[in-house]
């Protein structure tokens, strides 16, 4: 929970760029298969989706993107849990719109948490991971009470 983006510099951004440049377009390319997989396996098979291969490749893509982000920032768990829920509430379940918005929401949430954490306690600041957890806890309680 105490992951942080304090001290990250351009070399860290450049190290993330190849992962983002390859895997995000691939995920967006496979968004129609993701839509079909979200419906039902029989529908996806009927539409010609190779279920096992696509699941394995998309899971590998998600793991690689998460590993690249964690290697730079550390473990900031609630961003990966909150951003998809917020994006899904805004645009719905179509992965063509949902995936890019979830990426942007995660970045905005982390930037907001880091900015508030740095300015809330003046000399040392609060790590972004703790600030995201402080924001994420009430949001998940809201989601639990809503359902």
């Amino acid at each position: 929970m105490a992951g942080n983006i304090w001290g990250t510099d351009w070399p860290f951004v450049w190290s993330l760029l190849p992962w983002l440049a390859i895997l995000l377009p691939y995920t967006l390319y496979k968004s129609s298969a993701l839509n079909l997989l979200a419906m039902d396996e029989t529908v996806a098979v009927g539409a010609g989706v190779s279920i096992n291969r696509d699941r394995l490749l998309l899971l590998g893509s998600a793991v690689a993107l998460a590993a690249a982000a964690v290697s730079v920032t550390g473990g900031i768990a609630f961003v990966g849990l909150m951003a998809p829920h917020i994006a899904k509430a805004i645009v719905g379940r179509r992965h063509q719109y949902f995936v890019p918005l979830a990426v942007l929401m995660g970045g905005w949430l982390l930037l907001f948490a880091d900015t508030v954490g740095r300015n809330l306690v003046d000399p040392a600041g609060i790590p972004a991971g703790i600030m995201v957890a402080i924001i994420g806890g009430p949001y998940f309680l809201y989601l639990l009470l809503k359902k």
Side-chain angles (χ1 to χ4, degrees), residues 4-130:
N4 208 348
I5 58 174
W6 181 265
T8 54
D9 205 359
W10 283 105
F12 293 106
V13 174
W14 292 117
S15 68
L16 283 176
L17 192 62
W19 296 98
L20 294 174
I22 294 169
L23 295 176
L24 277 179
Y26 174 74
T27 305
L28 290 173
Y29 172 72
K30 287 294 194 176
S31 60
S32 60
L34 283 169
N35 289 336
L36 292 169
L37 286 170
M39 285 185 189
D40 191 23
E41 283 189 16
T42 57
V43 173
V45 169
V49 174
S50 175
I51 293 177
N52 292 331
R53 183 181 59 111
D54 281 350
R55 278 187 183 163
L56 185 63
L57 289 173
L58 288 166
L59 181 64
S61 175
V63 168
L65 285 169
V70 168
S71 71
V72 172
T73 62
I76 303 177
F78 275 96
V79 173
L81 295 172
M82 285 177 46
H85 285 287
I86 295 170
K88 201 174 286 185
I90 293 173
V91 295
R93 296 183 178 269
R94 288 202 56 191
H95 287 84
Q96 290 89 343
Y97 306 119
F98 166 68
V99 171
L101 186 60
V103 170
L104 291 174
M105 289 302 277
W108 290 333
L109 179 63
L110 184 59
L111 179 65
F112 176 74
D114 187 57
T115 303
V116 170
R118 285 187 194 186
N119 294 321
L120 197 61
V121 177
D122 194 23
I126 299 173
I130 294 173

